[in-house]
């Protein structure tokens, strides 16, 4: 169920992040003092968005699958089990 949900939202997340990164593309064309000021900012934000995209597509569904199934298994064997 978690993997299905991750597949369902992966495409909108990908396009949303891509649109935000495309907004920063004009900053890479600046030259002179403006280019020296804003290019590191655009690179930092772009790399942060790409790394968050990779983590949200790989690590988060894996952790949810592992953690949520562990909690369900312990909840059925607890003191309140019927």
């Amino acid at each position: 169920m978690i993997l299905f949900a991750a597949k369902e939202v992966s495409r909108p997340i990908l396009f949303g992040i891509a649109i935000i990164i495309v907004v920063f593309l004009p900053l890479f064309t600046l030259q002179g003092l403006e280019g020296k000021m804003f290019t590191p900012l655009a690179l930092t934000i772009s790399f942060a968005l790409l790394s968050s995209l990779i983590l949200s597509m790989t690590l988060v569904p894996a952790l949810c699958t592992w953690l949520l199934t562990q909690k369900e298994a312990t909840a059925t064997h607890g003191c309140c089990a019927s």
Side-chain angles (χ1 to χ4, degrees), residues 11-81:
R11 194 168 169 171
I13 290 172
L14 178 68
F15 286 121
I17 298 288
I19 288 170
I20 295 171
I21 291 175
V22 166
V23 169
F24 289 106
L25 286 179
L27 292 178
F28 293 118
T29 62
L30 295 176
Q31 296 176 354
L33 183 61
E34 296 86 8
K36 289 180 182 179
M37 283 177 37
F38 292 117
T39 300
L41 171 79
L43 282 172
T44 303
I45 293 174
S46 297
F47 285 136
L49 286 170
L50 286 174
S51 63
S52 71
L53 177 67
I54 291 169
L55 284 177
S56 68
M57 296 296 168
T58 57
L59 183 66
V60 172
L63 287 177
C64 284
T65 303
W66 181 66
L67 291 173
L68 294 179
T69 54
Q70 293 292 329
K71 287 185 179 182
E72 288 175 4
T74 57
T76 58
H77 298 296
C79 65
C80 298

